[in-house]
Amino acid sequence: MLAEVLADRGDWSQVMPGVRACLFSLEKSPLPLPLRLEPLHFEALFCVAGTVTLTRRDGSALTAGARQVLLLTDASSLSAAKVGTSLEGVLVAVDARSARDSLEALCALLGGLSLDTEQVRRWMASRNGCAVEGPSTWSRAVFANLDCLPQSEQARWCVWKSAELLYLLSAPEGNALNVLPVPALDREVVRVLGKTRRYMEDHLADPLTIPALSRMAMLSATTFKDAFRRLYGLPVHAWLRQRRMERAAELLRDSSLSVLGVAQSVGYGSASQFTAAFRRQYGMTPAKYRKDV
């Protein structure tokens, strides 16, 4: 899916048989992604900046943002996929058939390590072929070390971390990453969360609090927070912050509002507070972003 978009972009390298990695930066975005992934082809996106949003056929969405890892094994459950603004990172693309010998050789070097790939397959199937890892202790360490490496080593590092992630997910029930499969949400809960999410989208300039949103959804605060994260892949405040930054990027590109005006349009009372949040999301100030796009 992402590999198809990046076929003639970025810096690709063949790290080992069946495993390629691409360092890339997509400046001209958002853009839609093709909903195609060959059988037994897997992708792991180590997202450094920007976002990728996957929309499932049931209306739920999954968003991977900066310093998270997006795992893709099957695109058949998706109705849409798009890249957010200025996506940057490392994509690891795996042809499982060609990579089998490489994986076996790696396991042999590690003293005959045994990986339960069937457990990983079941875990990904329980998430309809797409999942986001992070923020977690593991993902924070991955990106902290990635930042320290020269570009010439970043592809190999992400391939190595992909193999490590495979090992962690093959542990019994995925306990190594605390990622047990979760039961499906009630249809009515999905409906009210969708309505609440749309309200949040339309009122990004307003102060949006968990107590107020949970009352709107007619759920307890605890149930609202847990169900929202399960449905949309991020905690409420993280989702809201990310969506505000995406909307701010749109306004910086397409409107003549001042930086303070953009900040107020997405719920920030001061330009300095907004600038700090925008820099964390996109790695640059709003003024520089407006100048470069």
Side-chain angles (χ1 to χ4, degrees):
M1 194 161 78
L2 276 160
E4 184 172 338
V5 171
L6 296 173
D8 57 352
R9 313 181 195 194
D11 182 13
W12 281 96
S13 59
Q14 189 79 37
V15 178
M16 62 178 67
V19 183
R20 299 180 301 143
C22 177
L23 277 68
F24 70 92
S25 179
L26 294 176
E27 297 295 338
K28 295 182 179 179
S29 49
L31 58 85
L33 295 173
L35 300 178
R36 293 187 294 272
L37 193 61
E38 293 294 322
L40 296 177
H41 281 68
F42 312 139
E43 295 181 1
L45 169 65
F46 291 76
C47 185
V48 173
T51 58
V52 175
T53 300
L54 309 178
T55 304
R56 303 185 183 94
R57 297 185 190 279
D58 64 5
S60 63
L62 183 67
T63 298
R67 308 185 91 73
Q68 292 181 308
V69 181
L70 174 64
L71 304 173
L72 291 168
T73 59
D74 184 3
S76 64
S77 70
L78 303 178
S79 61
K82 70 174 183 178
V83 167
T85 306
S86 300
L87 182 66
E88 179 183 346
V90 181
L91 178 68
V92 176
V94 180
D95 178 341
R97 286 164 293 200
S98 301
R100 185 176 294 113
D101 290 344
S102 300
L103 186 58
E104 289 178 356
L106 182 60
C107 289
L109 285 172
L110 294 172
L113 179 69
S114 177
L115 297 180
D116 186 355
T117 54
E118 181 61 23
Q119 159 64 20
V120 178
R121 188 198 66 76
R122 290 193 301 270
W123 187 83
M124 288 300 300
S126 74
R127 285 153 175 76
N128 296 313
C130 48
V132 172
E133 159 51 25
S136 66
T137 301
W138 180 83
S139 66
R140 291 187 188 97
V142 168
F143 286 99
N145 285 288
L146 182 65
D147 292 342
C148 299
L149 290 169
Q151 282 195 349
S152 60
E153 295 301 318
Q154 289 180 359
R156 276 190 285 268
W157 173 254
C158 289
V159 169
W160 174 253
K161 293 291 112 176
S162 297
E164 184 176 271
L165 185 56
L166 181 62
Y167 165 72
L168 292 172
L169 291 177
S170 70
E173 298 302 325
N175 283 331
L177 283 171
N178 192 26
V179 286
L180 289 171
V182 294
L185 290 171
D186 178 84
R187 186 183 296 269
E188 178 61 16
V189 172
V190 171
R191 187 190 70 79
V192 297
L193 285 177
K195 182 178 179 180
T196 307
R197 179 186 60 80
R198 289 189 292 274
Y199 177 87
M200 293 164 68
E201 291 266 9
D202 293 339
H203 295 81
L204 293 175
D206 298 345
L208 299 171
T209 65
I210 296 293
L213 293 169
S214 59
R215 284 195 299 270
M216 182 183 301
M218 293 182 291
L219 299 169
S220 72
T222 299
T223 299
F224 175 73
K225 289 188 292 184
D226 177 65
F228 190 98
R229 179 166 187 160
R230 286 165 54 189
L231 185 59
Y232 295 112
L234 287 172
V236 179
H237 287 307
W239 183 93
L240 185 58
R241 181 174 59 250
Q242 183 170 287
R243 187 63 194 99
R244 279 172 164 157
M245 291 302 100
E246 291 172 348
R247 177 61 178 151
E250 294 169 9
L251 291 172
L252 289 167
R253 288 198 311 272
D254 304 330
S255 80
S256 59
L257 286 172
S258 66
V259 170
L260 178 58
V262 172
Q264 292 171 337
S265 295
V266 294
Y268 285 83
S270 72
S272 59
Q273 187 183 39
F274 166 67
T275 296
F278 192 90
R279 188 196 293 272
R280 283 195 299 271
Q281 178 76 18
Y282 293 110
M284 64 183 77
T285 65
K288 186 176 190 309
Y289 179 88
R290 170 171 270 172
K291 179 181 178 182
D292 290 350
V293 296

